[in-house]
Amino acid sequence: MKNIYLILATAGILLSSCTEDITDYNNDPKLPTAVPPQTLVANAEKNLADRITTISGSNVFRLWAQHWAQATYIDESNYLIIGRDPSQAYWTTYYNNVINDLNSAQALIEEDEILDAVTRGNQLAIIETIKVYTFQHLVDLNGDVPYSEAADINNLFPKYDDAATIYTDLISRISAAQAALANGGESFGSNDIFYSGDVTAWRKLANSVKLRLGMRIADVNPTLASTTVKEAVEAGVFTSNDDNTVIRYESSPTANNNPIYNLFETENRREDYIAGKTSLDMLVALNDPRLDDYFADNKDPYIGGPIGGNNSYANFTHLNFDIVGDPTYPGSIMDYAEVAFFQAEAVERGFISGDAEAYYNDGIAASIAYYGGTQDEIDTYLAQPEVAYATATGDYKQKIGTQKWIALFNRGFEAWTEYRRLDWPELVLSNQTQQEVPLRMIYPVKESAVNGENYDAASSAIGGDQLTTPLFWDVN
């Protein structure tokens, strides 16, 4: 007992002599209580890029664009997503890890009394550009989505805003952002993983996003589309592959490998995905120089897997994972090929002046060059009657839509979205379910239970929470 009393007494002396406030023991020195805004922005960029780049049960759009097909597990290729809930993965990433982080960064920047006005303006405009990009992606995924009440910790049941109204507001927001970036100056420096703080590059991206917003509504609101597109092009969009927005991944065994590599190489040697018959057959027919960039040479001749078919990995052409599965292969957020094709279409619609054929050729050339193609390969490809703008089959929507779809091979969401908008090329029914390509993704499963009143209102407003419900800009 004497020993116990002695220990307690000694402990009391030590505690009283070491600290007067024991609440300090609740603070974890390794867990920061405040995160700098530049770190929050970098985290938002990383999460956005990884979600777009990955191929998993949630990112099904390389399959829905019919560039890729599946072996063994074929539900997604047959548009069977019950139990997969892809939208939830997107909402978690975009609302929680992108928009929330950007909102927090914005608040910190606005409160910073030391930051000079130009740098503050540029940082806020970059944040706004990423937000606009993200919200457009959400609308193009689902239709009506939480927007005006989104990412508010005090509102657990946000309403869904009308998709067309969101688009109109996004156009206003991106217009203000690009105007703020017009004066140059500093921004986030090396903490910006897309452009290392290059304000001029960010302004080009803002204008290119504005161009995309305008072209998406070309069929449903041509007046606003025309004004939006004209302003974007005149202010300065991408002009070459040097302007592309990408995330550059690393080769060392870190968390910053390309997510496709992580899925197929470090977790397992996956044998789930093969060349889609739709895309492979088209590239073969057109003698496309990207054929051996997109696909492996394990089969001679090439054999594409039927979309949604009960395919065996060994019997079909594989994807070229030496390229798309490389740990350092960049993740593409937006590229010049996409921008050039938008401008070719804008000329045809009378939104801007210029040469539609020249923009069309630039889009093809940029895509081939991105994969290491030579000028001779570009010239030979463009000279083919099936490819040349003057002689290729169909109207401008078919010509541009087909070549744009080819160029968007590893950008599944945009390939699927442009197919929905332009209706080219013709994609096939899924092999087993005989279903057409979905026109939208259904809302997250838990929304009907957690936010039921607003979910019901949104579902009714868009015409039903179904894969077959077209978005507001999909009027053909």
Side-chain angles (χ1 to χ4, degrees):
M1 289 294 293
K2 290 181 179 179
N3 288 337
I4 293 174
Y5 289 138
L6 180 61
I7 292 170
L8 291 174
T10 304
I13 294 170
L14 288 172
L15 285 172
S16 62
S17 63
C18 290
T19 180
E20 296 181 358
D21 184 4
I22 63 173
T23 59
D24 286 344
Y25 288 112
N26 292 325
N27 297 328
D28 185 348
K30 296 182 180 180
L31 183 65
T33 57
V35 180
Q38 56 268 31
T39 301
L40 291 166
V41 172
N43 190 61
E45 290 177 324
K46 168 71 171 165
N47 277 281
L48 174 67
D50 283 354
R51 172 55 56 200
I52 292 170
T53 303
T54 191
I55 173 68
S56 64
S58 59
N59 191 338
V60 299
F61 302 111
R62 291 174 180 85
L63 301 171
W64 287 13
Q66 299 190 359
H67 287 150
W68 296 21
Q70 287 176 293
T72 307
Y73 309 106
I74 58 176
D75 285 358
E76 290 87 353
S77 293
N78 282 291
Y79 316 129
L80 301 173
I81 59 169
I82 302 302
R84 308 288 189 187
D85 200 10
S87 277
Q88 186 58 63
Y90 278 88
W91 282 37
T92 298
T93 298
Y94 287 170
Y95 284 118
N96 293 353
N97 304 123
V98 178
I99 294 167
N100 262 340
D101 278 3
L102 294 175
N103 285 345
S104 298
Q106 178 178 330
L108 291 170
I109 292 166
E110 290 173 341
E111 294 168 0
D112 190 336
E113 298 178 354
I114 300 176
L115 203 60
D116 68 271
V118 173
T119 302
R120 176 184 289 107
N122 286 336
Q123 290 183 349
L124 293 176
I126 288 171
I127 287 173
E128 189 75 341
T129 300
I130 303 172
K131 283 185 184 180
V132 169
Y133 183 106
T134 304
F135 274 118
Q136 183 186 19
H137 198 135
L138 284 164
V139 172
D140 292 346
L141 180 70
N142 298 124
D144 294 6
V145 292
Y147 177 68
S148 60
E149 297 181 358
D152 180 356
I153 61 173
N154 297 312
N155 184 0
L156 300 179
F157 311 107
K159 70 176 183 179
Y160 291 54
D161 291 271
D162 172 70
T165 303
I166 296 173
Y167 250 66
T168 300
D169 193 53
L170 292 178
I171 290 170
S172 296
R173 290 173 65 174
I174 201 66
S175 297
Q178 75 84 24
L181 292 164
N183 298 320
E186 302 295 323
S187 64
F188 291 108
S190 59
N191 293 288
D192 166 22
I193 62 177
F194 289 162
Y195 285 124
S196 298
D198 186 335
V199 172
T200 299
W202 272 103
R203 188 176 185 228
K204 286 186 177 182
L205 174 60
N207 286 318
S208 299
V209 170
K210 183 175 178 178
L211 170 65
R212 178 198 281 169
L213 285 162
M215 292 306 300
R216 286 275 155 80
I217 61 173
D219 286 329
V220 69
N221 191 344
T223 301
L224 178 58
S226 178
T227 302
T228 302
V229 168
K230 186 173 185 294
E231 289 175 351
V233 172
E234 289 180 348
V237 295
F238 290 173
T239 57
S240 75
N241 281 336
D242 291 339
D243 297 324
N244 293 356
T245 312
V246 299
I247 178 173
R248 302 193 181 281
Y249 292 108
E250 300 172 3
S251 59
S252 59
T254 68
N256 198 33
N257 295 145
N258 184 298
I260 301 176
Y261 170 82
N262 286 339
L263 184 66
F264 282 89
E265 297 292 343
T266 61
E267 295 181 15
N268 285 297
R269 178 60 179 176
R270 298 281 295 269
E271 297 183 347
D272 304 19
Y273 297 96
I274 55 178
K277 179 175 173 59
T278 308
S279 58
L280 190 146
D281 286 357
M282 182 175 292
L283 266 67
V284 169
L286 294 175
N287 298 305
D288 197 298
R290 290 162 289 191
L291 185 63
D292 59 357
D293 298 314
Y294 292 175
F295 305 116
D297 60 358
N298 62 297
K299 289 291 180 181
D300 186 15
Y302 292 98
I303 308 173
I307 306 301
N310 190 19
N311 305 315
S312 167
Y313 186 77
N315 292 338
F316 295 98
T317 294
H318 298 167
L319 298 158
N320 187 354
F321 283 112
D322 288 341
I323 295 180
V324 299
D326 187 287
T328 65
Y329 188 76
S332 181
I333 311 304
M334 195 164 191
D335 62 32
Y336 173 58
E338 178 185 2
V339 169
F341 284 122
F342 274 136
Q343 290 178 96
E345 184 185 346
V347 172
E348 291 284 11
R349 290 179 181 270
F351 294 170
I352 60 173
S353 60
D355 186 338
E357 181 178 1
Y359 283 125
Y360 169 88
N361 290 346
D362 284 348
I364 293 172
S367 176
I368 294 173
Y370 183 82
Y371 287 95
T374 67
Q375 189 60 51
D376 285 345
E377 287 177 323
I378 293 169
D379 292 341
T380 300
Y381 185 68
L382 289 172
Q384 295 182 102
E386 299 84 2
V387 176
Y389 198 68
T391 55
T393 302
D395 61 8
Y396 74 86
K397 285 189 176 183
Q398 181 173 352
K399 295 176 185 182
I400 294 171
T402 298
Q403 285 297 328
K404 190 173 194 178
W405 174 81
I406 294 173
L408 290 169
F409 175 78
N410 198 37
R411 299 183 58 210
F413 185 85
E414 294 304 324
W416 171 60
T417 301
E418 285 298 282
Y419 161 75
R420 290 181 288 161
R421 187 177 69 87
L422 293 172
D423 300 307
W424 290 103
E426 293 182 333
L427 301 185
V428 301
L429 299 177
S430 58
N431 186 275
Q432 292 201 351
T433 58
Q434 291 295 291
Q435 298 294 313
E436 294 184 349
V437 175
L439 300 179
R440 64 180 287 276
M441 179 63 76
I442 61 173
Y443 291 123
V445 172
K446 73 177 185 181
E447 279 294 291
S448 61
V450 175
N451 193 15
E453 183 176 345
N454 291 311
Y455 164 82
D456 289 341
S459 298
S460 176
I462 66 173
D465 184 20
Q466 305 294 328
L467 295 176
T468 54
T469 302
L471 298 189
F472 81 98
W473 44 250
D474 184 6
V475 297
N476 294 329

PDB file of all heavy atoms in Angstrom, residues 32-60:
ATOM      1  N   PRO A  32      -3.487  17.841 -38.666  1.00  0.00           N
ATOM      2  CA  PRO A  32      -3.629  19.295 -38.720  1.00  0.00           C
ATOM      3  C   PRO A  32      -5.062  19.732 -38.451  1.00  0.00           C
ATOM      4  O   PRO A  32      -6.013  19.081 -38.865  1.00  0.00           O
ATOM      5  CB  PRO A  32      -3.220  19.629 -40.163  1.00  0.00           C
ATOM      6  CG  PRO A  32      -3.470  18.374 -40.936  1.00  0.00           C
ATOM      7  CD  PRO A  32      -3.191  17.258 -39.977  1.00  0.00           C
ATOM      8  N   THR A  33      -5.198  20.838 -37.731  1.00  0.00           N
ATOM      9  CA  THR A  33      -6.522  21.383 -37.458  1.00  0.00           C
ATOM     10  C   THR A  33      -6.982  22.317 -38.568  1.00  0.00           C
ATOM     11  O   THR A  33      -8.161  22.653 -38.641  1.00  0.00           O
ATOM     12  CB  THR A  33      -6.510  22.146 -36.127  1.00  0.00           C
ATOM     13  OG1 THR A  33      -5.508  23.173 -36.188  1.00  0.00           O
ATOM     14  CG2 THR A  33      -6.201  21.201 -34.973  1.00  0.00           C
ATOM     15  N   ALA A  34      -6.070  22.769 -39.389  1.00  0.00           N
ATOM     16  CA  ALA A  34      -6.419  23.632 -40.519  1.00  0.00           C
ATOM     17  C   ALA A  34      -5.611  23.211 -41.736  1.00  0.00           C
ATOM     18  O   ALA A  34      -4.427  22.893 -41.623  1.00  0.00           O
ATOM     19  CB  ALA A  34      -6.142  25.091 -40.188  1.00  0.00           C
ATOM     20  N   VAL A  35      -6.251  23.179 -42.900  1.00  0.00           N
ATOM     21  CA  VAL A  35      -5.589  22.777 -44.135  1.00  0.00           C
ATOM     22  C   VAL A  35      -5.458  24.002 -45.037  1.00  0.00           C
ATOM     23  O   VAL A  35      -6.445  24.719 -45.254  1.00  0.00           O
ATOM     24  CB  VAL A  35      -6.390  21.674 -44.855  1.00  0.00           C
ATOM     25  CG1 VAL A  35      -5.689  21.257 -46.141  1.00  0.00           C
ATOM     26  CG2 VAL A  35      -6.589  20.476 -43.941  1.00  0.00           C
ATOM     27  N   PRO A  36      -4.268  24.287 -45.570  1.00  0.00           N
ATOM     28  CA  PRO A  36      -4.090  25.449 -46.440  1.00  0.00           C
ATOM     29  C   PRO A  36      -4.959  25.338 -47.689  1.00  0.00           C
ATOM     30  O   PRO A  36      -5.204  24.227 -48.188  1.00  0.00           O
ATOM     31  CB  PRO A  36      -2.605  25.404 -46.796  1.00  0.00           C
ATOM     32  CG  PRO A  36      -1.973  24.540 -45.754  1.00  0.00           C
ATOM     33  CD  PRO A  36      -3.015  23.548 -45.352  1.00  0.00           C
ATOM     34  N   PRO A  37      -5.422  26.457 -48.226  1.00  0.00           N
ATOM     35  CA  PRO A  37      -6.305  26.400 -49.399  1.00  0.00           C
ATOM     36  C   PRO A  37      -5.665  25.741 -50.611  1.00  0.00           C
ATOM     37  O   PRO A  37      -6.341  25.047 -51.371  1.00  0.00           O
ATOM     38  CB  PRO A  37      -6.641  27.871 -49.665  1.00  0.00           C
ATOM     39  CG  PRO A  37      -5.592  28.659 -48.948  1.00  0.00           C
ATOM     40  CD  PRO A  37      -5.215  27.837 -47.761  1.00  0.00           C
ATOM     41  N   GLN A  38      -4.350  25.944 -50.798  1.00  0.00           N
ATOM     42  CA  GLN A  38      -3.700  25.346 -51.958  1.00  0.00           C
ATOM     43  C   GLN A  38      -3.703  23.814 -51.874  1.00  0.00           C
ATOM     44  O   GLN A  38      -3.789  23.123 -52.891  1.00  0.00           O
ATOM     45  CB  GLN A  38      -2.260  25.862 -52.130  1.00  0.00           C
ATOM     46  CG  GLN A  38      -1.348  25.666 -50.948  1.00  0.00           C
ATOM     47  CD  GLN A  38      -1.342  26.865 -50.010  1.00  0.00           C
ATOM     48  OE1 GLN A  38      -2.344  27.564 -49.885  1.00  0.00           O
ATOM     49  NE2 GLN A  38      -0.196  27.114 -49.372  1.00  0.00           N
ATOM     50  N   THR A  39      -3.644  23.279 -50.654  1.00  0.00           N
ATOM     51  CA  THR A  39      -3.720  21.832 -50.472  1.00  0.00           C
ATOM     52  C   THR A  39      -5.122  21.319 -50.780  1.00  0.00           C
ATOM     53  O   THR A  39      -5.296  20.260 -51.397  1.00  0.00           O
ATOM     54  CB  THR A  39      -3.332  21.464 -49.026  1.00  0.00           C
ATOM     55  OG1 THR A  39      -2.005  21.939 -48.761  1.00  0.00           O
ATOM     56  CG2 THR A  39      -3.386  19.962 -48.817  1.00  0.00           C
ATOM     57  N   LEU A  40      -6.126  22.060 -50.362  1.00  0.00           N
ATOM     58  CA  LEU A  40      -7.505  21.689 -50.650  1.00  0.00           C
ATOM     59  C   LEU A  40      -7.771  21.683 -52.148  1.00  0.00           C
ATOM     60  O   LEU A  40      -8.459  20.801 -52.667  1.00  0.00           O
ATOM     61  CB  LEU A  40      -8.459  22.658 -49.950  1.00  0.00           C
ATOM     62  CG  LEU A  40      -8.507  22.568 -48.424  1.00  0.00           C
ATOM     63  CD1 LEU A  40      -9.220  23.780 -47.840  1.00  0.00           C
ATOM     64  CD2 LEU A  40      -9.196  21.283 -47.977  1.00  0.00           C
ATOM     65  N   VAL A  41      -7.236  22.671 -52.864  1.00  0.00           N
ATOM     66  CA  VAL A  41      -7.429  22.737 -54.319  1.00  0.00           C
ATOM     67  C   VAL A  41      -6.725  21.570 -54.998  1.00  0.00           C
ATOM     68  O   VAL A  41      -7.282  20.924 -55.894  1.00  0.00           O
ATOM     69  CB  VAL A  41      -6.933  24.085 -54.875  1.00  0.00           C
ATOM     70  CG1 VAL A  41      -6.938  24.081 -56.398  1.00  0.00           C
ATOM     71  CG2 VAL A  41      -7.810  25.223 -54.358  1.00  0.00           C
ATOM     72  N   ALA A  42      -5.494  21.283 -54.581  1.00  0.00           N
ATOM     73  CA  ALA A  42      -4.763  20.149 -55.164  1.00  0.00           C
ATOM     74  C   ALA A  42      -5.502  18.841 -54.911  1.00  0.00           C
ATOM     75  O   ALA A  42      -5.577  17.972 -55.792  1.00  0.00           O
ATOM     76  CB  ALA A  42      -3.350  20.085 -54.582  1.00  0.00           C
ATOM     77  N   ASN A  43      -6.070  18.687 -53.722  1.00  0.00           N
ATOM     78  CA  ASN A  43      -6.826  17.480 -53.411  1.00  0.00           C
ATOM     79  C   ASN A  43      -8.077  17.378 -54.280  1.00  0.00           C
ATOM     80  O   ASN A  43      -8.435  16.288 -54.745  1.00  0.00           O
ATOM     81  CB  ASN A  43      -7.214  17.472 -51.938  1.00  0.00           C
ATOM     82  CG  ASN A  43      -7.790  16.145 -51.489  1.00  0.00           C
ATOM     83  OD1 ASN A  43      -7.124  15.120 -51.550  1.00  0.00           O
ATOM     84  ND2 ASN A  43      -9.043  16.152 -51.047  1.00  0.00           N
ATOM     85  N   ALA A  44      -8.736  18.510 -54.518  1.00  0.00           N
ATOM     86  CA  ALA A  44      -9.916  18.510 -55.386  1.00  0.00           C
ATOM     87  C   ALA A  44      -9.534  18.123 -56.808  1.00  0.00           C
ATOM     88  O   ALA A  44     -10.234  17.323 -57.457  1.00  0.00           O
ATOM     89  CB  ALA A  44     -10.566  19.894 -55.372  1.00  0.00           C
ATOM     90  N   GLU A  45      -8.435  18.676 -57.316  1.00  0.00           N
ATOM     91  CA  GLU A  45      -7.970  18.336 -58.663  1.00  0.00           C
ATOM     92  C   GLU A  45      -7.663  16.840 -58.759  1.00  0.00           C
ATOM     93  O   GLU A  45      -8.038  16.177 -59.738  1.00  0.00           O
ATOM     94  CB  GLU A  45      -6.714  19.138 -59.004  1.00  0.00           C
ATOM     95  CG  GLU A  45      -6.956  20.615 -59.205  1.00  0.00           C
ATOM     96  CD  GLU A  45      -5.662  21.376 -59.475  1.00  0.00           C
ATOM     97  OE1 GLU A  45      -4.620  21.016 -58.880  1.00  0.00           O
ATOM     98  OE2 GLU A  45      -5.685  22.331 -60.271  1.00  0.00           O
ATOM     99  N   LYS A  46      -6.971  16.318 -57.766  1.00  0.00           N
ATOM    100  CA  LYS A  46      -6.595  14.904 -57.759  1.00  0.00           C
ATOM    101  C   LYS A  46      -7.820  14.002 -57.758  1.00  0.00           C
ATOM    102  O   LYS A  46      -7.912  13.034 -58.527  1.00  0.00           O
ATOM    103  CB  LYS A  46      -5.717  14.639 -56.533  1.00  0.00           C
ATOM    104  CG  LYS A  46      -5.464  13.182 -56.187  1.00  0.00           C
ATOM    105  CD  LYS A  46      -4.554  12.481 -57.150  1.00  0.00           C
ATOM    106  CE  LYS A  46      -4.181  11.093 -56.616  1.00  0.00           C
ATOM    107  NZ  LYS A  46      -3.593  10.245 -57.654  1.00  0.00           N
ATOM    108  N   ASN A  47      -8.792  14.303 -56.899  1.00  0.00           N
ATOM    109  CA  ASN A  47     -10.000  13.484 -56.823  1.00  0.00           C
ATOM    110  C   ASN A  47     -10.812  13.552 -58.110  1.00  0.00           C
ATOM    111  O   ASN A  47     -11.331  12.542 -58.585  1.00  0.00           O
ATOM    112  CB  ASN A  47     -10.852  13.915 -55.628  1.00  0.00           C
ATOM    113  CG  ASN A  47     -10.395  13.285 -54.332  1.00  0.00           C
ATOM    114  OD1 ASN A  47     -10.687  12.131 -54.052  1.00  0.00           O
ATOM    115  ND2 ASN A  47      -9.668  14.040 -53.536  1.00  0.00           N
ATOM    116  N   LEU A  48     -10.922  14.739 -58.682  1.00  0.00           N
ATOM    117  CA  LEU A  48     -11.639  14.899 -59.948  1.00  0.00           C
ATOM    118  C   LEU A  48     -10.967  14.085 -61.046  1.00  0.00           C
ATOM    119  O   LEU A  48     -11.626  13.326 -61.775  1.00  0.00           O
ATOM    120  CB  LEU A  48     -11.677  16.377 -60.331  1.00  0.00           C
ATOM    121  CG  LEU A  48     -12.278  16.719 -61.707  1.00  0.00           C
ATOM    122  CD1 LEU A  48     -13.763  16.407 -61.746  1.00  0.00           C
ATOM    123  CD2 LEU A  48     -12.036  18.187 -62.052  1.00  0.00           C
ATOM    124  N   ALA A  49      -9.654  14.226 -61.168  1.00  0.00           N
ATOM    125  CA  ALA A  49      -8.917  13.538 -62.226  1.00  0.00           C
ATOM    126  C   ALA A  49      -8.964  12.030 -62.070  1.00  0.00           C
ATOM    127  O   ALA A  49      -9.148  11.290 -63.049  1.00  0.00           O
ATOM    128  CB  ALA A  49      -7.469  14.024 -62.245  1.00  0.00           C
ATOM    129  N   ASP A  50      -8.810  11.537 -60.853  1.00  0.00           N
ATOM    130  CA  ASP A  50      -8.841  10.091 -60.624  1.00  0.00           C
ATOM    131  C   ASP A  50     -10.212   9.504 -60.966  1.00  0.00           C
ATOM    132  O   ASP A  50     -10.305   8.414 -61.535  1.00  0.00           O
ATOM    133  CB  ASP A  50      -8.498   9.764 -59.177  1.00  0.00           C
ATOM    134  CG  ASP A  50      -7.009   9.858 -58.886  1.00  0.00           C
ATOM    135  OD1 ASP A  50      -6.229  10.075 -59.832  1.00  0.00           O
ATOM    136  OD2 ASP A  50      -6.627   9.715 -57.706  1.00  0.00           O
ATOM    137  N   ARG A  51     -11.269  10.217 -60.609  1.00  0.00           N
ATOM    138  CA  ARG A  51     -12.615   9.712 -60.894  1.00  0.00           C
ATOM    139  C   ARG A  51     -12.847   9.628 -62.396  1.00  0.00           C
ATOM    140  O   ARG A  51     -13.450   8.677 -62.900  1.00  0.00           O
ATOM    141  CB  ARG A  51     -13.655  10.621 -60.230  1.00  0.00           C
ATOM    142  CG  ARG A  51     -15.113  10.346 -60.584  1.00  0.00           C
ATOM    143  CD  ARG A  51     -15.515   8.924 -60.322  1.00  0.00           C
ATOM    144  NE  ARG A  51     -15.284   8.516 -58.945  1.00  0.00           N
ATOM    145  CZ  ARG A  51     -15.183   7.263 -58.549  1.00  0.00           C
ATOM    146  NH1 ARG A  51     -15.298   6.275 -59.433  1.00  0.00           N
ATOM    147  NH2 ARG A  51     -14.958   6.956 -57.278  1.00  0.00           N
ATOM    148  N   ILE A  52     -12.362  10.606 -63.157  1.00  0.00           N
ATOM    149  CA  ILE A  52     -12.523  10.604 -64.610  1.00  0.00           C
ATOM    150  C   ILE A  52     -11.660   9.527 -65.258  1.00  0.00           C
ATOM    151  O   ILE A  52     -12.066   8.862 -66.210  1.00  0.00           O
ATOM    152  CB  ILE A  52     -12.172  11.990 -65.181  1.00  0.00           C
ATOM    153  CG1 ILE A  52     -13.211  13.031 -64.743  1.00  0.00           C
ATOM    154  CG2 ILE A  52     -12.070  11.957 -66.703  1.00  0.00           C
ATOM    155  CD1 ILE A  52     -12.820  14.449 -65.052  1.00  0.00           C
ATOM    156  N   THR A  53     -10.472   9.306 -64.715  1.00  0.00           N
ATOM    157  CA  THR A  53      -9.487   8.425 -65.335  1.00  0.00           C
ATOM    158  C   THR A  53      -9.743   6.954 -65.071  1.00  0.00           C
ATOM    159  O   THR A  53      -9.541   6.107 -65.948  1.00  0.00           O
ATOM    160  CB  THR A  53      -8.070   8.780 -64.834  1.00  0.00           C
ATOM    161  OG1 THR A  53      -7.800  10.153 -65.119  1.00  0.00           O
ATOM    162  CG2 THR A  53      -7.016   7.905 -65.499  1.00  0.00           C
ATOM    163  N   THR A  54     -10.208   6.611 -63.879  1.00  0.00           N
ATOM    164  CA  THR A  54     -10.276   5.208 -63.481  1.00  0.00           C
ATOM    165  C   THR A  54     -11.206   4.387 -64.369  1.00  0.00           C
ATOM    166  O   THR A  54     -12.045   4.923 -65.093  1.00  0.00           O
ATOM    167  CB  THR A  54     -10.729   5.097 -62.006  1.00  0.00           C
ATOM    168  OG1 THR A  54     -10.533   3.750 -61.564  1.00  0.00           O
ATOM    169  CG2 THR A  54     -12.199   5.469 -61.856  1.00  0.00           C
ATOM    170  N   ILE A  55     -11.049   3.100 -64.322  1.00  0.00           N
ATOM    171  CA  ILE A  55     -11.998   2.162 -64.916  1.00  0.00           C
ATOM    172  C   ILE A  55     -12.361   1.179 -63.812  1.00  0.00           C
ATOM    173  O   ILE A  55     -11.537   0.432 -63.313  1.00  0.00           O
ATOM    174  CB  ILE A  55     -11.441   1.438 -66.165  1.00  0.00           C
ATOM    175  CG1 ILE A  55     -12.406   0.356 -66.627  1.00  0.00           C
ATOM    176  CG2 ILE A  55     -10.052   0.905 -65.934  1.00  0.00           C
ATOM    177  CD1 ILE A  55     -13.698   0.851 -67.187  1.00  0.00           C
ATOM    178  N   SER A  56     -13.616   1.232 -63.404  1.00  0.00           N
ATOM    179  CA  SER A  56     -14.048   0.395 -62.290  1.00  0.00           C
ATOM    180  C   SER A  56     -15.544   0.187 -62.405  1.00  0.00           C
ATOM    181  O   SER A  56     -16.179   0.596 -63.382  1.00  0.00           O
ATOM    182  CB  SER A  56     -13.706   1.082 -60.954  1.00  0.00           C
ATOM    183  OG  SER A  56     -14.446   2.295 -60.823  1.00  0.00           O
ATOM    184  N   GLY A  57     -16.140  -0.398 -61.378  1.00  0.00           N
ATOM    185  CA  GLY A  57     -17.565  -0.633 -61.398  1.00  0.00           C
ATOM    186  C   GLY A  57     -18.392   0.635 -61.459  1.00  0.00           C
ATOM    187  O   GLY A  57     -19.559   0.611 -61.833  1.00  0.00           O
ATOM    188  N   SER A  58     -17.793   1.776 -61.092  1.00  0.00           N
ATOM    189  CA  SER A  58     -18.522   3.047 -61.140  1.00  0.00           C
ATOM    190  C   SER A  58     -18.284   3.790 -62.448  1.00  0.00           C
ATOM    191  O   SER A  58     -19.199   4.430 -62.973  1.00  0.00           O
ATOM    192  CB  SER A  58     -18.116   3.934 -59.959  1.00  0.00           C
ATOM    193  OG  SER A  58     -16.721   4.187 -59.988  1.00  0.00           O
ATOM    194  N   ASN A  59     -17.078   3.710 -62.970  1.00  0.00           N
ATOM    195  CA  ASN A  59     -16.780   4.398 -64.234  1.00  0.00           C
ATOM    196  C   ASN A  59     -16.987   3.418 -65.383  1.00  0.00           C
ATOM    197  O   ASN A  59     -16.066   2.744 -65.831  1.00  0.00           O
ATOM    198  CB  ASN A  59     -15.352   4.937 -64.232  1.00  0.00           C
ATOM    199  CG  ASN A  59     -15.089   5.873 -65.402  1.00  0.00           C
ATOM    200  OD1 ASN A  59     -15.777   5.829 -66.420  1.00  0.00           O
ATOM    201  ND2 ASN A  59     -14.087   6.725 -65.263  1.00  0.00           N
ATOM    202  N   VAL A  60     -18.212   3.363 -65.864  1.00  0.00           N
ATOM    203  CA  VAL A  60     -18.615   2.365 -66.858  1.00  0.00           C
ATOM    204  C   VAL A  60     -18.603   2.915 -68.283  1.00  0.00           C
ATOM    205  O   VAL A  60     -19.007   2.219 -69.223  1.00  0.00           O
ATOM    206  CB  VAL A  60     -20.037   1.844 -66.551  1.00  0.00           C
ATOM    207  CG1 VAL A  60     -20.088   1.186 -65.191  1.00  0.00           C
ATOM    208  CG2 VAL A  60     -21.063   2.988 -66.625  1.00  0.00           C
TER     209      VAL A  60
END
